[in-house]
Amino acid sequence: QMKEIPDKIGSVLDIAHNVTWSGKVFAKLYGVLLGSIFAAYHFGIEDDIAEEAKRTYTEYNCIHPCIAEALKTLSFAKYGDDATYKSLLKCCFLIPSYYGIRIN
């Protein structure tokens, strides 16, 4: 029976079984996603992470809305792109007063 447990983890796609709604997981995962968006925007590091983010964003509909927005932004993130910049600022909901500042 123990061999079946790893196969079942993440197989139930409802809010009660989704780890993105956990406070401990959310903050760390959100930080990694925003850091990835910033790297794509500021340094041009895109590779195939955007494709994976797009697949994840469209495939799972029970993830936390903020995580979904970050994945959506990561899915189209480009070096120096204004849309990426605006969406990244939207994801930074804790610093709304910084909307007018440009990242150089």
Side-chain angles (χ1 to χ4, degrees):
Q1 287 182 340
M2 290 302 290
K3 291 181 182 180
E4 296 174 9
I5 291 175
D7 294 333
K8 291 180 182 180
I9 295 174
S11 63
V12 180
L13 298 176
D14 64 3
I15 196 169
H17 294 90
N18 194 305
V19 296
T20 63
W21 288 85
S22 164
K24 292 180 180 181
V25 174
F26 173 82
K28 292 173 177 81
L29 180 58
Y30 199 63
V32 168
L33 288 172
L34 294 187
S36 300
I37 296 165
F38 177 77
Y41 172 77
H42 194 67
F43 302 111
I45 303 168
E46 297 162 23
D47 298 321
D48 47 288
I49 194 166
E51 283 301 316
E52 185 63 26
K54 188 181 293 184
R55 184 191 67 75
T56 304
Y57 171 71
T58 56
E59 190 172 313
Y60 299 106
N61 59 358
C62 290
I63 58 177
H64 191 283
C66 293
I67 299 287
E69 184 67 29
L71 282 169
K72 180 180 167 188
T73 301
L74 186 57
S75 72
F76 66 80
K78 300 257 186 281
Y79 175 72
D81 181 47
D82 282 339
T84 300
Y85 175 74
K86 288 177 183 173
S87 191
L88 176 59
L89 286 180
K90 181 181 176 186
C91 289
C92 295
F93 56 86
L94 294 176
I95 51 171
S97 61
Y98 289 96
Y99 278 95
I101 293 178
R102 191 78 182 147
I103 302 171
N104 292 324

